[in-house]
């Protein structure tokens, strides 16, 4: 059933309630002015922070590479090409493929080759190997390519160490014969790689020969000639998945998520990417590394003991916990430190803030001086950010969990004290007056007239801060206050271990989710009662 308002009634209502029926022009203008000011402020921020310039300079490729590093890993074989055409496949010293890598996606053809060491080319001695202790630029004066030169009365002494640039005075190679100049050329036979094929997943492949490289991606194929001299020359136009910034310099070919390769005159650097986290369970030094799950299970259950003084199960657990690449035990220990920091700091803050809140509440303690002193103390503690307190206590106590606990304690004492005192000032005085009317002592008035009203609120707020401080403890840990935050910062600083960063971030998210769920459930029971 609908009701209608006649014109007389509407006029009567408009006369009695003009602000409700017909808003004033000033209020409408105020809304419009607020919107205009917000838009102008947005333009100001866009100009002041140069947001347009930042967005223009931003590189989505770099962001994509970092994101890929969170969920994948790279193998980095380098195919080196010597001036005489000999090729060698090299891997980093700490390769995730182990100490003697032989991946099936790198196929090589080998042959024996005679190589000459110490041959004269235009009066200059050619040496096959560089000095391992030299920082010299090849061909710089005053350095010896084959080793340290012997001092002579009419020649300045030379050293195998140097930071000299080509053409610098006081050096000997190039202008004066080296100590090996009188040595006869030596010919040796060596097994070298004559051809290498690198499969870049389903995206394509690289065929590497001493004088050229053929890159394939999908149906597209193009060739890059190496030489003559130190030049890299693509044959034909470059496809859109290859880049050469300057003529004659290296060519970079991209294979999407599967990786990329840098083709230069002296070799090819391959960056092959794989989905997942490498060596997450066992590192390359473990006897269980490279084994399937069934093989590891068989070794643990029925295999011969690898170490006589411990079982294979104990050895496997030890290898997992002390995995050199992932450091599981250390990460979990630091995560536990973070949880303890958040819990202990919040607990102490709640204990200290509880009695101080009664002093700060004007309706509980009717002394304006005590009220103001306590409230200003709360303001001082919470006005200084937790991160600043962490820096201060790190200097005072040194790096470690104690600094983090102290930072959380100081910050939360001020915040919880303010919240508790405001809750006390908003209680219903009738309940307190009822207890007082029966002649109860002051402490009993607070116990039975005040606490039942505010205790659920106090506990709810403390639980919320405990859950929030689990996240905050991670941040303050990055400045030296201990916990997983410091570990996370160390992994980020290397700019290489992003998979370790992802691992710790996932652990932190899991812990925050668990504590958030627990905190929400407890707060719901405290505020709404046990029937909810």
């Amino acid at each position: 059933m609908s009701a209608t308002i006649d014109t007389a009634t509407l006029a009567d209502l408009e006369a009695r309630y003009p602000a409700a029926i017909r808003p004033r022009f000033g209020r409408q203008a105020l809304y419009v002015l607020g919107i205009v000011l917000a838009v102008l402020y947005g333009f100001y921020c866009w100009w002041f922070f140069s947001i347009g310039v930042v967005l223009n300079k931003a590189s989505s490729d770099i962001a994509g590479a970092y994101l890929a590093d969170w969920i994948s890993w790279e193998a980095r074989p380098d195919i080196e090409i010597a001036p005489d055409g000999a090729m060698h496949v090299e891997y980093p010293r700490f390769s995730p493929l182990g100490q003697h890598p032989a991946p099936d996606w790198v196929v090589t053809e080998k042959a024996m080759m005679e190589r000459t060491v110490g041959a004269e080319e235009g009066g200059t001695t050619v040496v096959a190997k560089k000095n391992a202790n030299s920082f010299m630029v090849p061909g710089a004066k005053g350095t010896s390519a084959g080793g340290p030169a012997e001092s002579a009365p009419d020649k300045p002494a030379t050293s195998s160490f140097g930071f000299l640039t080509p053409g610098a005075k006081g050096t000997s190679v190039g202008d004066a014969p080296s100590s090996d100049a009188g040595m006869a050329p030596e010919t040796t036979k060596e097994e070298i790689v004559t051809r290498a094929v690198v499969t870049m997943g389903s995206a394509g492949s690289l065929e590497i020969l001493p004088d050229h490289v053929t890159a394939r991606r999908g149906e597209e194929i193009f060739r890059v000639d190496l030489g003559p001299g130190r030049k890299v020359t693509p044959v034909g136009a470059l496809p859109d998945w290859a880049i050469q910034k300057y003529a004659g310099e290296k060519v970079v070919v991209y294979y999407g998520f599967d990786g990329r390769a840098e083709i230069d005159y002296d070799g090819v650097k391959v960056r092959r990417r794989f989905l997942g986290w490498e060596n997450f369970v066992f590192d390359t030094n473990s006897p269980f590394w490279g084994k399937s799950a069934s093989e590891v299970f068989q070794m643990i259950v029925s295999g011969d003991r690898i170490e006589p003084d411990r079982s294979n199960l104990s050895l496997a657990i030890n290898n997992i916990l002390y995995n050199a690449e992932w450091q599981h035990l250390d990460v979990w220990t630091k995560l536990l430190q973070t949880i303890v920091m958040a819990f202990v700091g919040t607990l102490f803050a709640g204990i200290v803030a509880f009695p101080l809140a009664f002093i700060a509440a004007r309706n509980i303690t009717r002394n304006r001086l005590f009220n103001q002193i306590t409230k200003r103390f709360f303001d001082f503690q919470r006005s200084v950010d937790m991160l600043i307190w962490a820096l201060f206590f790190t200097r005072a106590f040194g790096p470690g969990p104690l600094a983090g606990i102290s930072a959380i304690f100081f910050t939360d004492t001020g915040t919880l004290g303010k919240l508790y005192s405001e809750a006390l000032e908003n209680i219903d005085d009738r309940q307190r007056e009822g207890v007082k009317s029966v002649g109860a002592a002051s402490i009993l008035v607070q116990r039975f007239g005040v606490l039942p009203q505010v205790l659920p609120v106090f506990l709810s707020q403390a639980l919320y801060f405990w859950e929030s401080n689990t996240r905050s403890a991670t941040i303050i840990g990055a400045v030296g206050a201990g916990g997983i935050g410091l570990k996370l910062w160390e992994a980020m600083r290397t700019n290489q271990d992003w998979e370790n960063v992802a691992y710790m971030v996932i652990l932190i998210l899991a812990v925050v989710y668990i504590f958030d769920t627990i905190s929400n459930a407890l707060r719901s029971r405290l505020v709404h009662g046990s029937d909810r």
Side-chain angles (χ1 to χ4, degrees):
M1 181 177 178
S2 60
T4 58
I5 301 176
D6 56 20
T7 307
T9 304
L10 183 60
D12 181 61
L13 289 174
E14 189 174 331
R16 286 189 293 173
Y17 308 103
I21 303 300
R22 188 175 60 247
R24 291 176 297 178
F25 174 77
R27 181 174 297 178
Q28 294 177 339
L30 191 62
Y31 293 151
V32 175
L33 180 61
I35 294 173
V36 172
L37 289 176
V39 172
L40 291 176
Y41 182 72
F43 282 113
Y44 169 75
C45 291
W46 183 278
W47 166 80
F48 187 79
F49 295 106
S50 303
I51 295 177
V53 177
V54 173
L55 293 177
N56 187 44
K57 292 182 178 180
S59 174
S60 58
D61 294 339
I62 296 176
Y66 281 143
L67 181 61
D69 287 340
W70 281 51
I71 59 174
S72 62
W73 60 280
E74 281 187 347
R76 302 183 175 186
D78 292 344
I79 294 86
E80 299 180 352
I81 304 175
D84 59 0
M87 298 198 303
H88 294 276
V89 181
E90 298 288 342
Y91 292 86
R93 181 180 178 186
F94 300 105
S95 173
L97 300 176
Q99 297 180 356
H100 305 287
D104 56 2
W105 45 274
V106 178
V107 179
T108 59
E109 295 179 4
K110 297 183 179 180
M112 298 301 295
M113 176 181 177
E114 289 188 356
R115 305 191 67 192
T116 302
V117 178
E120 297 288 339
E121 293 182 0
T124 303
T125 302
V126 178
V127 182
K129 295 182 180 180
K130 298 177 183 178
N131 193 321
N133 297 322
S134 176
F135 298 92
M136 303 176 296
V137 178
K141 300 179 182 179
T143 59
S144 174
E150 297 180 359
S151 300
D154 56 341
K155 294 180 182 178
T158 60
S159 172
S160 62
F161 296 92
F163 300 90
L164 303 176
T165 56
K169 296 181 179 180
T171 59
S172 62
V173 172
D175 290 351
S178 68
S179 59
D180 294 333
M183 293 177 60
E186 180 182 354
T187 301
T188 61
K189 279 192 174 183
E190 182 180 343
E191 185 180 47
I192 55 103
V193 175
T194 58
R195 177 176 175 268
V197 177
V198 181
T199 303
M200 302 296 289
S202 60
S205 63
L206 288 163
E207 182 186 19
I208 304 163
L209 294 169
D211 60 345
H212 72 273
V213 175
T214 303
R216 179 182 64 82
R217 179 173 174 179
E219 300 298 327
E220 295 184 87
I221 298 176
F222 85 102
R223 170 172 166 162
V224 178
D225 288 339
L226 309 180
R230 300 185 173 187
K231 289 186 178 181
V232 179
T233 308
V235 177
L238 283 173
D240 56 2
W241 44 276
I243 295 176
Q244 186 180 36
K245 291 186 176 180
Y246 303 100
E249 294 192 357
K250 68 180 180 181
V251 174
V252 183
V253 291
Y254 295 92
Y255 292 90
F257 182 83
D258 290 317
R260 69 185 190 280
E262 298 179 2
I263 304 172
D264 212 338
Y265 72 93
D266 58 352
V268 179
K269 295 181 179 180
V270 179
R271 301 294 180 261
R272 177 77 162 84
R273 187 175 293 278
F274 299 88
L275 186 66
W277 293 341
E278 81 281 12
N279 308 329
F280 183 74
V281 181
F282 300 107
D283 62 28
T284 57
N285 297 318
S286 171
F288 302 98
W289 179 79
K291 305 289 192 301
S292 65
S294 59
E295 289 175 327
V296 172
F297 180 77
Q298 185 177 2
M299 292 173 65
I300 291 174
V301 174
S302 59
D304 295 333
R305 284 200 172 193
I306 299 172
E307 293 186 4
D309 57 340
R310 68 167 68 184
S311 66
N312 288 351
L313 176 60
S314 174
L315 179 62
I317 294 174
N318 179 272
N319 288 171
I320 293 172
L321 294 178
Y322 293 95
N323 186 315
E325 298 181 31
W326 291 91
Q327 304 174 7
H328 295 297
L329 182 61
D330 191 37
V331 169
W332 297 340
T333 302
K334 294 295 191 296
L335 181 63
L336 182 61
Q337 283 184 0
T338 299
I339 296 171
V340 171
M341 283 165 52
F343 176 75
V344 175
T346 308
L347 178 64
F348 286 173
I351 292 174
V352 173
F354 181 79
L356 293 178
F358 283 83
I359 300 175
R362 291 171 294 181
N363 58 336
I364 304 297
T365 302
R366 300 188 180 277
N367 186 309
R368 186 174 179 81
L369 178 62
F370 286 173
N371 296 153
Q372 291 300 316
I373 290 176
T374 310
K375 286 186 176 182
R376 299 294 78 78
F377 175 68
F378 291 157
D379 291 343
F380 165 71
Q381 287 186 304
R382 66 190 181 88
S383 63
V384 180
D385 189 77
M386 189 181 297
L387 188 63
I388 306 302
W389 281 123
L391 291 170
F392 173 78
F393 286 115
T394 301
R395 286 295 187 93
F397 303 136
L402 182 59
I405 292 172
S406 302
I408 294 173
F409 164 69
F410 260 65
T411 307
D412 282 4
T413 297
T415 307
L416 288 174
K418 177 180 175 57
L419 293 174
Y420 288 177
S421 63
E422 290 179 349
L424 288 169
E425 290 176 348
N426 290 302
I427 62 171
D428 185 1
D429 277 340
R430 290 177 297 180
Q431 185 172 337
R432 186 171 61 157
E433 293 298 330
V435 177
K436 189 185 295 185
S437 65
V438 299
S442 177
I443 190 169
L444 295 177
V445 172
Q446 311 304 328
R447 165 65 182 84
F448 296 102
V450 177
L451 278 184
Q453 300 184 60
V454 297
L455 192 58
V457 179
F458 284 8
L459 292 176
S460 175
Q461 291 170 339
L463 286 171
Y464 171 76
F465 273 82
W466 171 50
E467 174 258 319
S468 177
N469 286 334
T470 305
R471 299 187 299 268
S472 301
T474 303
I475 303 302
I476 64 176
V479 299
I484 199 171
L486 183 59
K487 194 88 179 164
L488 185 65
W489 175 241
E490 290 173 352
M492 294 178 68
R493 287 179 62 186
T494 63
N495 207 27
Q496 295 178 346
D497 301 325
W498 289 104
E499 63 274 18
N500 296 70
V501 173
Y503 172 46
M504 286 181 273
V505 167
I506 290 174
L507 288 177
I508 294 168
L509 288 175
V511 168
V512 169
Y513 172 76
I514 292 171
F515 283 106
D516 179 62
T517 303
I518 296 173
S519 176
N520 287 337
L522 292 175
R523 287 203 307 270
S524 179
R525 292 180 64 88
L526 288 170
V527 174
H528 301 295
S530 59
D531 58 330
R532 295 296 293 270

